[in-house]
Amino acid sequence: METMGMGQGGRHIWRRPSRLGLAWAALQEDCKFPGNPETLLSQRFNPMSMPPQETPKPKEASLIVEKVHQHSTFRSMLFGKPRDIHDPSLFHSISLIPFLAWVGLGVDGLSSCAYGPDESFRALFGLKTGNHAELAILLAIATTITVAVISWSYAGLIEHFPYSGGGYGVATKLLGPYFGLISGCALLVDYVLTVTTSVASSVDQIFNVVPPEFLSWKLAVEFIMIGALVLLNLRGIKESINVIVPIFLLFVATHLALMIGVFVVHPGTIVGHISQIHAEVHHDAQTLGLWVVLVIFMQAYSRGAGTYTGIEAVSNGVSAMREPQVTNAKWTMLYMAVSLAVTAGGLMVCYLLADLSPVPGRTMNGLLVDSVHFGNWFTWLTLGSEAGLLLFAAQTGYIGGPRVMANMALDGWVPRRFSSLSDRLTSHYGVLMVGVAAIGSLIYTKGSVDMLVTMYAINVFVTFSLSQLGMSRFSWVRRHRKQGITPLFVHAFSFVLCFGILVAVVILKFEQGAWVTIFVTGVLIILCLLIQRHYRRVRAKLAELNEQLGDMHTLTGPMPEKVPAMDPKKQTAVFLVNSYGGLGIHTILIALKTFPKQFSQVYFASVGVLDSGNFKGTEEVVRLKHDRQKTIDQYVHLAHTLGLAAAGEYTLGTDPVAESTGLCLKIRGMYPRSVYFAGKLLFEAEKWYYPLLHNETAFAISRRLQLQGIPTVVMPIRILKFEG
């Protein structure tokens, strides 16, 4: 919630309502009023003069607090019971071991084996120059090398920047905030397309065996699946991953059996194919030209770019790992790299060994399963596991997207609310936004997998390229250390590789959907720049106000010898405070001046809000507790120097409104004659989108308390002549 304050005489940037103007003049300028302005003010606006309300007794107040935090059975069934943030085993219970992280974060990469190798292999057929299936082995080798290089380079990124937020954080720290913005926006679009592409591909697999008359329901089924995944992820990451484990293991087992079966059914053929590759490539180079062969190879290689899109996810999810997080993240990266390289490269080799060629309406994996003749049961298990894994590959988008959004919110690129957590400790706003955006992209593309794959493959290589460029710069600075130039070589080679793929995909697929991704990403970048400009101007106004108020935090003096004690029977002013500074101090002074001789004691209430920026471990929670207690102690010391009895307390939570309301009701039970003060930024020319950028915490708390008959004053901080 915002702290409270006001401007002073002269050219006002901040101004109180007129009924507080006299009090401000008296406080700052010691003006002489006709009559008694203090009495006048207390008569005009005195919450103590309101008709007495029925005050809850302590037991009743505890019941009210319990009611505020109570969750219905229906809500608990849908989203699960709220997490206890004070539980010392909380982080251990919701964190991921490497195996579960491999399942949850590696599912995107492994599921891409259902369409990545397929796309690459198909690109070798139906060309004007004929078929070039012999290049499949070279494609398999290139795919394996690409996965190894990118994974190795990202392992270095994890080691040096484990909590940076992956590509977004690395680009921000090593290349600057605007490069970080480009990387973050590219990632957000990519994660949305991860959800869309995975769900659309999964439904395509299902509807391959569904009668044609049901095809009109395809888009509706996709919407339902996206909604189900949103609900699953609102419950929490670990719960959603536990559902995926059986399907993931079935996919690994069936595809491993499939590749082994191809090698058994077609023994020795790989040696023959390898021996004739040189002759066929040499013949094509002589008849078509080496550059033509290279273009054919690059086109097929770039069409399979979707195979590598899941590698980034591990670096974004380090904070979800179990301790030691960096070590476990590296093991997760190794599991994912090996499984992805073996499966993607192995499938392309198997297509060649089985002498397959594309068939309209059939996937290459479906044709490969038919070639081993293991029976219908194996076909259903293999293709069914593909469909299931493709569906749950959207999990990566729901994990990575909200995390990137939360990191960008902390830097002011997107609304701050996206850094908040639900009572299940999930980035619920981010999950909902990813789901809504995925539905929008489905509507635009009508679920066309071909168009989605093209759009999908672009932005991930924008992030790859920027991350590796930043790490190359980082390694260059550290080249004289023990590691030498090896990291520099790895990251530089990875940058050239990723940037080359990006350029190839954009050139070859620009008219087939690449332009849409570029356009949407550009619009998102512009929107983020406008949001960040708004927050920057608000900070400038706050800084200007602090300058006008002066260094008021030095107001405190030595502690008086005798500190007055709190009396539950006396009138008490309760201040909702966030941080100790000029605005909060000024609010206390003006409230006491506005209501003279009404309050001889004050109570300070503060809520430490857990968000994505500080929810990284038990140490961060302890640090947040220390910060809240320090703030309370500073305000109590200030009140004592002013001759007031004072006390205070804090609580921690994820919902500032619910936690503040519960804390206030608890205080009301201890001090029945209490009045509550909160603050709210008030813009002179409020625009329709301001509520999206700033919270309404003060009004929400005020409404809840007033419904209980508790007097609450929302003190506005007016921002005049503001454009943003």
Side-chain angles (χ1 to χ4, degrees), residues 374-587:
F374 282 173
N376 289 334
W377 65 272
F378 185 76
T379 300
W380 279 99
L381 283 179
T382 305
L383 298 183
S385 67
E386 279 192 9
L389 203 67
L390 281 166
L391 172 63
F392 285 111
Q395 177 68 18
T396 303
Y398 285 112
I399 294 177
R403 288 186 182 277
V404 173
M405 211 175 299
N407 288 324
M408 294 181 70
L410 295 173
D411 292 336
W413 294 117
V414 300
R416 298 285 170 79
R417 65 181 70 243
F418 286 105
S419 66
S420 65
L421 299 173
S422 69
D423 54 17
R424 291 288 295 174
L425 302 179
T426 62
S427 300
H428 53 307
Y429 287 120
V431 171
L432 292 172
M433 181 59 70
V434 169
V436 171
I439 290 176
S441 61
L442 271 178
I443 294 174
Y444 174 76
T445 61
K446 299 180 181 179
S448 172
V449 176
D450 292 339
M451 186 175 184
L452 285 169
V453 169
T454 299
M455 296 166 59
Y456 178 37
I458 293 176
N459 272 2
V460 70
F461 284 99
V462 172
T463 301
F464 281 173
S465 300
L466 291 176
S467 298
Q468 298 312 316
L469 179 61
M471 290 301 296
S472 298
R473 181 180 180 184
F474 178 75
S475 301
W476 171 260
V477 174
R478 297 164 56 93
R479 66 188 183 280
H480 299 300
R481 299 196 178 188
K482 183 178 179 180
Q483 293 86 353
I485 64 170
T486 301
L488 174 62
F489 173 78
V490 172
H491 292 299
F493 180 71
S494 183
F495 167 72
V496 172
L497 184 64
C498 294
F499 188 72
I501 297 174
L502 173 63
V503 172
V505 173
V506 170
I507 293 175
L508 295 173
K509 297 293 184 179
F510 185 80
E511 296 182 354
Q512 302 177 27
W515 71 270
V516 178
T517 302
I518 297 172
F519 174 78
V520 172
T521 306
V523 171
L524 184 58
I525 290 173
I526 294 173
L527 184 61
C528 290
L529 287 171
L530 294 175
I531 292 173
Q532 206 269 348
R533 185 185 69 170
H534 172 85
Y535 285 134
R536 186 172 61 249
R537 291 181 176 179
V538 171
R539 287 196 299 269
K541 288 292 186 181
L542 291 173
E544 190 173 347
L545 174 63
N546 281 325
E547 289 179 2
Q548 289 186 355
L549 291 174
D551 195 13
M552 298 187 70
H553 67 272
T554 61
L555 181 65
T556 56
M559 181 72 69
E561 295 182 1
K562 185 177 181 181
V563 176
M566 297 288 291
D567 185 350
K569 297 180 180 179
K570 289 184 177 181
Q571 295 174 353
T572 308
V574 179
F575 294 96
L576 302 177
V577 295
N578 182 25
S579 59
Y580 185 77
L583 295 177
I585 294 171
H586 176 70
T587 302

Side-chain angles (χ1 to χ4, degrees), residues 106 134 144 168 192 199 233 283 355 505 540 562 591 596 684 717:
E134 70 278 0
T144 302
Y168 164 72
V192 170
V199 171
N233 279 273
H283 176 266
D355 198 22
V505 173
K562 185 177 181 181
E684 182 182 26
I717 309 172

Side-chain angles (χ1 to χ4, degrees), residues 186-319:
L187 271 175
L188 290 180
V189 174
D190 181 65
Y191 280 128
V192 170
L193 291 174
T194 295
V195 176
T196 311
T197 304
S198 300
V199 171
S201 300
S202 175
V203 174
D204 275 358
Q205 297 284 347
I206 296 172
F207 274 78
N208 277 334
V209 294
V210 172
E213 57 266 24
F214 292 102
L215 291 178
S216 60
W217 289 89
K218 178 182 172 184
L219 205 58
V221 172
E222 292 170 352
F223 292 158
I224 293 173
M225 286 185 172
I226 289 178
L229 287 172
V230 167
L231 182 62
L232 193 60
N233 279 273
L234 288 175
R235 293 183 62 89
I237 294 176
K238 191 168 183 179
E239 282 79 359
S240 59
I241 290 176
N242 288 336
V243 178
I244 305 173
V245 171
I247 299 174
F248 185 89
L249 294 178
L250 180 61
F251 178 92
V252 172
T254 54
H255 284 70
L256 184 62
L258 175 62
M259 289 185 286
I260 293 175
V262 171
F263 280 95
V264 171
V265 174
H266 304 279
T269 54
I270 189 170
V271 178
H273 281 295
I274 292 176
S275 62
Q276 71 183 43
I277 284 178
H278 179 269
E280 292 182 357
V281 171
H282 180 74
H283 176 266
D284 288 343
Q286 290 290 332
T287 57
L288 303 175
L290 183 60
W291 284 107
V292 174
V293 176
L294 183 61
V295 168
I296 294 172
F297 175 82
M298 286 303 300
Q299 183 175 356
Y301 177 69
S302 63
R303 281 187 62 175
T307 305
Y308 319 113
T309 53
I311 299 176
E312 160 77 14
V314 177
S315 63
N316 285 333
V318 176
S319 59

Side-chain angles (χ1 to χ4, degrees), residues 104-126:
L105 301 175
V107 65
D108 178 31
L110 202 57
S111 68
S112 66
C113 294
Y115 53 81
D118 186 304
E119 289 289 324
S120 288
F121 193 74
R122 287 177 185 273
L124 302 176
F125 290 83

